[in-house]
Amino acid sequence: MSLDLVLITGMSGSGKSVALRALEDAGYYCVDNLPPQLLGAFVSLEQANDASRVAIAMDVRSATALPLVPQQLREMRSRGVQIRPLFLDSTTDTLVRRFSETRRRHPLSSQDTEGHTDPLLRKRALVDAIELERELLADLRDQALVIDSSSIRAAELQAQVKALLSAPASQLTLVFESFAFKRGIPVDADYMFDVRMLPNPHYEPGLRDLTGLDQPVVDFLQAQPGVDEMFRSIEGFLQRWLEPLALDHRSYVTVAIGCTGGQHRSVYLVEKLAAAFGQRWTTLKRHRELSRAGG
């Protein structure tokens, strides 16, 4: 029996514990903060015990040993382990706010910097720690499916993690994500396309409160010059480069489509692209702003 291993890494404060709980609910045996030096031995033990699903979380507290992980993953894949690397990320502003609200200490912050009485100096020290953490985790991020937890609730993060489990681990998975530029650029995008130049249904009174999932909006956009041309342009780019990405052993590619409000044009194009590429590749869809609105 092949072992299915989900390896969760990511920024401190980005929701790794929430993701781990979602996997535990899905029947995975979960281990938090496993030292990288023990990863190979632990996986061998689970294989000997005929385990089928294991999830492991690692973070920057093991910073000195994290460079060992990419080679360990290659060795485990050669032994038939199905590995799903998952990286939780958030914008720096979001992480600063979360640490400030919870009064938690960042694992890379020193006691001296945390003792600053000036709030501006404390914030600067926290930002420095976060940016150092990004550098230390960059190699792991490059190999993983990235989920941006900046603007989603815990329940939506759990839903996205569970959606990951529905995709085969052995082939390229495409993630199409709609978003609003006015709420910030998603940090999990491999490719990002700006479609704000297309006609906006927001200015049609009968369409303003609908979304790109609703047929009247679909009909409106299908009738507009340029919308199909934009779709064909994005489709052509991806058709050209997905096969080389798959041959380069990429497991996940996230394509973000942005418009002003993340409600009409980007949602419509994500749905259309997911339908087109779903005939060849495993595809997942995310509508960031609709998830926020849905509570």
Side-chain angles (χ1 to χ4, degrees):
M1 179 185 298
S2 177
L3 177 64
D4 181 6
L5 170 65
V6 179
L7 179 64
I8 303 174
T9 58
M11 300 297 293
S12 301
S14 62
K16 293 189 297 296
S17 60
V18 174
L20 204 62
R21 285 197 299 272
L23 290 165
E24 190 171 35
D25 291 344
Y28 280 71
Y29 175 61
C30 297
V31 179
D32 193 11
N33 197 28
L34 181 76
Q37 300 94 323
L38 301 180
L39 177 59
F42 176 78
V43 169
S44 295
L45 177 62
E46 292 303 301
Q47 285 182 302
N49 291 333
D50 292 326
S52 60
R53 296 192 292 180
V54 174
I56 297 171
M58 293 181 178
D59 61 34
V60 79
R61 287 173 288 181
S62 303
T64 56
L66 286 175
L68 300 173
V69 175
Q71 179 60 33
Q72 290 175 315
L73 297 181
R74 286 191 289 270
E75 292 173 355
M76 286 186 285
R77 285 192 175 100
S78 71
R79 303 202 313 261
V81 178
Q82 297 288 337
I83 300 174
R84 303 170 189 258
L86 179 62
F87 190 98
L88 276 294
D89 205 348
S90 289
T91 64
T92 296
D93 286 345
T94 299
L95 295 174
V96 168
R97 187 185 72 249
R98 289 175 182 171
F99 275 101
S100 299
E101 289 173 349
T102 61
R103 298 187 179 275
R104 290 172 52 207
R105 180 174 172 267
H106 191 280
L108 296 182
S109 295
S110 68
Q111 294 287 356
D112 292 340
T113 56
E114 288 291 317
H116 284 311
T117 56
D118 187 330
L120 292 178
L121 290 177
R122 285 202 305 272
K123 181 177 179 180
R124 181 67 257 170
L126 177 55
V127 169
D128 288 344
I130 290 169
E131 294 309 316
L132 174 58
E133 184 177 28
R134 289 196 191 282
E135 293 179 19
L136 293 171
L137 297 177
D139 288 344
L140 292 174
R141 189 186 192 280
D142 287 344
Q143 300 182 32
L145 169 63
V146 181
I147 295 181
D148 180 1
S149 66
S150 304
S151 58
I152 59 175
R153 298 175 176 83
E156 175 61 19
L157 175 56
Q158 290 182 328
Q160 290 191 18
V161 171
K162 290 176 180 177
L164 163 68
L165 306 181
S166 68
S170 59
Q171 65 186 62
L172 179 70
T173 297
L174 277 173
V175 182
F176 290 102
E177 177 178 18
S178 65
F179 73 95
F181 275 97
K182 69 179 183 181
R183 296 188 183 276
I185 296 171
V187 298
D188 54 3
D190 295 297
Y191 298 104
M192 183 176 64
F193 297 93
D194 182 351
V195 300
R196 286 176 291 184
M197 73 292 293
L198 299 178
N200 191 351
H202 174 80
Y203 297 109
E204 300 293 323
L207 304 179
R208 180 172 300 175
D209 295 331
L210 302 179
T211 76
L213 301 176
D214 295 311
Q215 193 59 46
V217 174
V218 171
D219 294 339
F220 172 84
L221 289 172
Q222 286 179 339
Q224 301 306 308
V227 173
D228 186 66
E229 183 180 358
M230 175 64 76
F231 166 75
R232 297 297 174 192
S233 295
I234 298 172
E235 180 189 42
F237 175 86
L238 295 175
Q239 292 283 17
R240 170 63 183 87
W241 294 109
L242 284 179
E243 197 69 46
L245 284 168
L247 292 174
D248 194 41
H249 306 292
R250 285 288 299 272
S251 298
Y252 306 96
V253 173
T254 298
V255 180
I257 311 294
C259 61
T260 306
Q263 180 179 338
H264 298 109
R265 294 163 291 181
S266 60
V267 171
Y268 166 79
L269 283 167
V270 160
E271 292 290 322
K272 192 171 176 64
L273 288 163
F277 284 92
Q279 301 173 37
R280 169 66 178 83
W281 307 93
T282 299
T283 59
L284 301 175
K285 295 179 293 186
R286 300 177 190 159
H287 296 301
R288 191 181 75 178
E289 316 312 337
L290 300 193
S291 298
R292 291 167 59 103

